[in-house]
Amino acid sequence: MSSSVLPAVLAANAGYKQSFGTKGTLALPPARQFAVLTCMDARIDPAKALGFAEGDAHVIRNAGGRASDDALRSLVISHKLLGTKEWFVIHHTNCGMELFTDEIIRGLLAQSLDTASIDATGWHDHGKGPGSHHGEFIDWLTIKEQAQSVKTDVERIRNHPLVPRSIPIYGYVYDVATGGLVEIPDAHQVGRATR
Amino acid sequence: MSSSVLPAVLAANAGYKQSFGTKGTLALPPARQFAVLTCMDARIDPAKALGFAEGDAHVIRNAGGRASDDALRSLVISHKLLGTKEWFVIHHTNCGMELFTDEIIRGLLAQSLDTASIDATGWHDHGKGPGSHHGEFIDWLTIKEQAQSVKTDVERIRNHPLVPRSIPIYGYVYDVATGGLVEIPDAHQVGRATR
């Protein structure tokens, strides 16, 4: 690892610790009582894009920002034990999850575990094998169209037996070209609180 | 929702969009080629605490920062399709996941879906029912001790059949009282790259 990020990350953390101020006294439950489910995408900084600070809000992130079983586990803990009362589901433009299918990633993993590359003709694997067929046991939760995936995910959360009807669930697509949130009215409608 | 956060969040996002600058041209794959798996805890701002900017790194977050099946799905996509080469697993002090057990949250959810509260005598549910026994079908991935949970999770990732041995996996506990990262040597050792 000739170019490991580790020294730079540790140096940055030492600086953060130095200027931590009074943040060490923040309470465990989110002060602004909301939670955000969004994608792991490197271009999204939820705190900056939505204007919240340390102590304010729960942030749940995975590939796609999907309402997976694990995201639901986290959301239920967020409300039931830590008091959040509003939830955002935010997918985004130019998401990596739109660039492949279960079949494609399973095929690539079967060739090697190393990083593949994509060009106009599709994905190419240049890695050294062996690969693994274990990818067949994973639903990769790929996305065909963002407005639909946001609605699907808000709907899944809305209908989960452990999610109370009092929590509004807001559905947005984040535009990585502008930094702006675009409301998905269908998702908002499905996610509205009804008591 | 007399005190919804929605107007403030949308106003903050409008300001972010206004000052977005050249960030709209950032590439999809993380520029600094690393990924962070950490807790949804409101007090943790991974970008600030680890010193990275939009476009730099993938961030995966769930309740506890656990190496769940969904976190592994995300990590494999992060490396295989988007080129990350180093991964951090970061749990933290004063984690909500240490304050309950599967039995406790299942019992609380069976009483009501509303927020419960904790005091020196334990958890109390004051919500209006009905609750749901659906909590019995979820493994809540609670934490008994952070250094052990970090090691367990690094070990699970290290031994996953879709994770190549070339990726170093670093194990840390983030101290919410100081903002500092504390290395877990046992986890680092388990997570070291071996080719």
Side-chain angles (χ1 to χ4, degrees), chain A residues 4 79-80 86 112 115 125, chain B residues 4 79-80 86 112 115 125:
Chain A
S4 170
H79 170 72
K80 179 71 192 175
E86 299 173 85
S112 86
T115 298
D125 208 290
Chain B
S4 169
H79 170 72
K80 179 72 193 174
E86 300 173 85
S112 86
T115 298
D125 207 291

